[in-house]
Amino acid sequence: MPDDPASRGADAAPPTPEAPDAHDLEVVESTVGELDAALLGGPRTLSASDLAARADIDLDVVRGFWTTLGLPHAAADDAVYTERDAEAVDRAAALVREHGLDIKTVMTVTRALGHTSDRLALWQVEALVEDMADRYELDDTTARLLVLDRLADLAPVLEAQLVHSYRRQLSAIAGRYAAEFGHLRGADAGDRTALPLARAVGFADMVSFTRRTAGLGSTDLSQFVQRFEAAARDIVTGAGGRVVKTIGDAVLFVADDAATGARIALGLADELGSGLDVGVAKQIGGLADGARGVTPVRVGFVWGRVLSRFGDVFGPHVNLAARLTDIAEPSTVLTDTATAEVLAGDARFVVEPLAARDLAGIGSVTPVRLTAAPA
């Protein structure tokens, strides 16, 4: 177990780490065992066969549950599961028996949990490692061992925040559905073959990401990417939209109306990188302390109908927004003529049609430059 820097004072230098000996490895294994019991609610005394018998379901369903959760399943009679694992399988079975969900739907919901929680856990642990390394001037290995030592105390707080965030997100979705679809009933529900959701959808893509990050070490690259993602999320959510995902050097966002989408697009183009000192950025690979943004972005944004699945959005309008991003100039926003018509009556925006362009996979499109009207 690593020495606790807090006990030596915040400014004290930690001891120089040495190669782990047998005793160190035993301590680490003991810590992992204690953490395992704390997180999973007890010892691993149950097998997959036990879980299947208890829930009165096929063994293959139990195996499918763990596979879709993103975790390996053991041999049928290996005692690797806990009481809480059994309760989780029972709850999955109850979704079919008591709530009438199709087993495929249950597996889809389970897959969503596995995909999201895997990324969330890794993201949070890596953030803790970085925090420990920075605060106590530790090497990466020692920082990871210190996080391992403290996870049992931190996990309940992180879990409580996760549940609270999840409930708030469900409440927000319910509120949006009530506002958008509450008046639709029966025959008024519209065309069942059309994509269901009318949304503003847009991409913001970093300019020259490869060049700006070339030569950066792991810490600087991590800070660069985090700075972009945090700044983009703040701009999107602050204007009333939602980040769907970040894709390397780009962010995909949606909003419930065209005007909100336009405000987000213009905010991203204006605030990300518009205050960047280009000369300094070139010298240090793209990082500029004190700059207002991260790096200039190109933004493509359109209004249209999309399909929402797997935490993502799909459809021709998503593809169009991505292609418009490809041809936009740095720190500018492009949209299409249909979206420009929707925004034409809004005095906050100025639309300027440009020359037609051929976009890969789409064909000839007349892009429209979107700018904010003078104050």
Side-chain angles (χ1 to χ4, degrees), residues 296-354:
V297 293
R298 300 182 176 91
V299 185
F301 139 77
V302 297
W303 169 257
R305 304 198 75 84
V306 301
L307 174 69
S308 176
R309 290 292 186 274
F310 320 116
D312 205 343
V313 289
F314 305 89
H317 291 94
V318 180
N319 300 333
L320 176 57
R323 294 293 178 263
L324 288 170
T325 302
D326 293 339
I327 64 172
E329 294 295 324
S331 299
T332 64
V333 178
L334 290 184
T335 187
D336 67 337
T337 53
T339 306
E341 290 176 3
V342 174
L343 298 173
D346 195 320
R348 294 171 294 178
F349 309 113
V350 176
V351 292
E352 177 189 356
L354 304 177

Side-chain angles (χ1 to χ4, degrees), residues 14-18 129 132-133 136-145:
T16 302
E18 299 177 353
V129 169
M132 298 296 180
Y136 302 126
E137 298 182 355
L138 302 175
D139 65 276
D140 184 77
T141 298
T142 306
R144 291 180 187 278
L145 291 174

Side-chain angles (χ1 to χ4, degrees), residues 18 28 45 60 80 89 97 107 122 181 194 197 206 247 319 364:
E18 299 177 353
V28 170
T45 59
D60 286 344
V80 296
V89 172
R97 293 197 186 105
M107 291 305 177
L122 181 60
F181 305 115
L197 302 176
M206 275 196 239
I247 317 158
N319 300 333
S364 180

Side-chain angles (χ1 to χ4, degrees), residues 102-120:
D102 185 83
I103 186 63
K104 292 181 180 179
T105 302
V106 174
M107 291 305 177
T108 296
V109 171
T110 303
R111 191 181 301 278
L113 287 172
H115 176 77
T116 305
S117 57
D118 171 57
R119 185 166 186 259
L120 175 63

Side-chain angles (χ1 to χ4, degrees), residues 15-83:
T16 302
E18 299 177 353
D21 57 20
H23 174 69
D24 293 331
L25 294 176
E26 289 177 2
V27 171
V28 170
E29 290 175 358
S30 176
T31 301
V32 171
E34 293 173 3
L35 179 61
D36 193 69
L39 291 177
L40 302 184
R44 298 174 182 248
T45 59
L46 302 174
S47 68
S49 296
D50 295 330
L51 269 56
R54 171 166 164 166
D56 193 22
I57 56 178
D58 291 339
L59 181 61
D60 286 344
V61 175
V62 173
R63 288 172 172 159
F65 175 84
W66 292 106
T67 299
T68 53
L69 199 59
L71 297 168
H73 58 78
D77 296 323
D78 288 351
V80 296
Y81 301 110
T82 70
E83 180 65 25

Side-chain angles (χ1 to χ4, degrees), residues 36 50 53 79 91 97 127 163-164 173 209 222 308 332 367 369 372 374:
D36 193 69
D50 295 330
R91 287 192 293 269
R97 293 197 186 105
V163 173
H164 176 73
I173 290 173
F209 173 78
S222 172
S308 176
T332 64
R369 182 183 291 118

